[in-house]
Amino acid sequence: ENGDRMKIDLTCTVYGRFPGSSIPPVSASLRIELQDNVCWVREEFEAHLTPRADLQSATTCRTGCRRDSRCSHWHFDQGSCSFAARRAGEQQVDGLYAKV
């Protein structure tokens, strides 16, 4: 539910057989790490918030911002998602996540 960069670690064993030869079967371990290509950095600044009623959890809010090329920041508070834009003179908002 936070803005951290996520990753998936996979470890498996690969087996090889060589039919029709005298080479015995072999095996090797394989480790794969998949990292998200988007990082999220927590920020606080004066922002204009655009509510997104269609995004009802922190996860869907973050994913919605990630998929929207116009979204640079998202905010989720008390069950409400908003996309944010820097704007002087607006309210100071803590807990904004910047797409970097």
Side-chain angles (χ1 to χ4, degrees), residues 6-99:
M6 303 303 291
K7 70 177 182 175
I8 298 172
D9 283 312
L10 303 169
T11 303
C12 57
T13 303
V14 179
Y15 296 92
R17 292 183 55 207
F18 305 95
S21 76
S22 61
I23 300 172
V26 295
S27 67
S29 289
L30 178 65
R31 181 176 171 271
I32 301 170
E33 180 180 285
L34 303 171
Q35 286 193 344
D36 191 351
N37 66 345
V38 175
C39 293
W40 300 98
V41 178
R42 187 178 172 120
E43 295 184 332
E44 177 180 351
F45 56 83
E46 292 177 354
H48 173 76
L49 298 178
T50 303
R52 291 294 309 262
D54 57 320
L55 305 173
Q56 300 177 350
S57 71
T59 301
T60 59
C61 190
R62 179 182 59 236
T63 300
C65 183
R66 175 191 178 98
R67 291 180 176 164
D68 187 333
S69 62
R70 297 164 298 171
C71 180
S72 63
H73 293 78
W74 63 275
H75 181 260
F76 192 81
D77 187 45
Q78 298 178 358
S80 296
C81 173
S82 297
F83 290 176
R86 254 180 227 276
R87 194 170 296 164
E90 294 280 343
Q91 65 180 348
Q92 188 76 11
V93 181
D94 186 22
L96 295 163
Y97 287 95
K99 185 186 335 181

